[in-house]
Amino acid sequence: MKMLLLLVALLSAASAAPPTCYSRVLSLSKEITESFKELQTSKTADLCVGTLPRLYLDIHNYCVLAKLRDFVAYPGCDRMVEVSELKEKARSLYTILISYCRRDLVFLTDDCNALEIPISPPIEHSITES
């Protein structure tokens, strides 16, 4: 019985591992991209939101660093709390990318145009549909 409890305790501790740099960067980039989309479609959004640089993030693209820098440095919309919060998240992601995770990440491309016109993710079909 003690062995069984020990085994259960070890298995539960193993699943509670801290996030890796990659998983943290991936989740934060998705959160930022979604927040930006919500901000653009919000009915309470200020007109200046339309002037903000596009913010589609792909952490596998080296150009994401320049994209984050440009977004954070953009002078418009600083009076909007939502934009200021989004800029703070973008600043955090940039810091994580260039310092904490610098050696852990691999950039697969440097196509800056891909960050301007994002490609929709492919639609996944289930096995039962075939």
Side-chain angles (χ1 to χ4, degrees), residues 108-119:
L108 304 175
T109 183
D110 61 354
D111 181 9
C112 295
N113 288 331
L115 296 178
E116 293 301 318
I117 304 169
I119 298 171

Side-chain angles (χ1 to χ4, degrees), residues 17-24:
T20 62
C21 261
Y22 178 77
S23 64
R24 177 66 181 130

Side-chain angles (χ1 to χ4, degrees), residues 42-106:
S42 171
K43 291 182 174 139
T44 61
D46 197 309
L47 291 176
C48 69
V49 171
T51 66
L52 288 171
R54 292 182 190 211
L55 197 59
Y56 166 73
L57 303 178
D58 176 7
I59 62 164
H60 303 102
N61 189 331
Y62 185 75
C63 293
V64 74
L65 297 172
K67 176 65 82 173
L68 288 167
R69 266 194 321 265
D70 291 348
F71 185 78
V72 169
Y74 190 78
C77 297
D78 286 337
R79 66 184 178 277
M80 286 188 64
V81 174
E82 296 88 351
V83 174
S84 296
E85 290 172 354
L86 192 57
K87 283 185 175 185
E88 190 56 40
K89 286 181 185 179
R91 185 178 292 111
S92 295
L93 178 59
Y94 181 79
T95 301
I96 292 169
L97 284 168
I98 65 166
S99 58
Y100 303 114
C101 298
R102 182 181 52 173
R103 294 185 181 126
D104 296 341
L105 297 177
V106 175

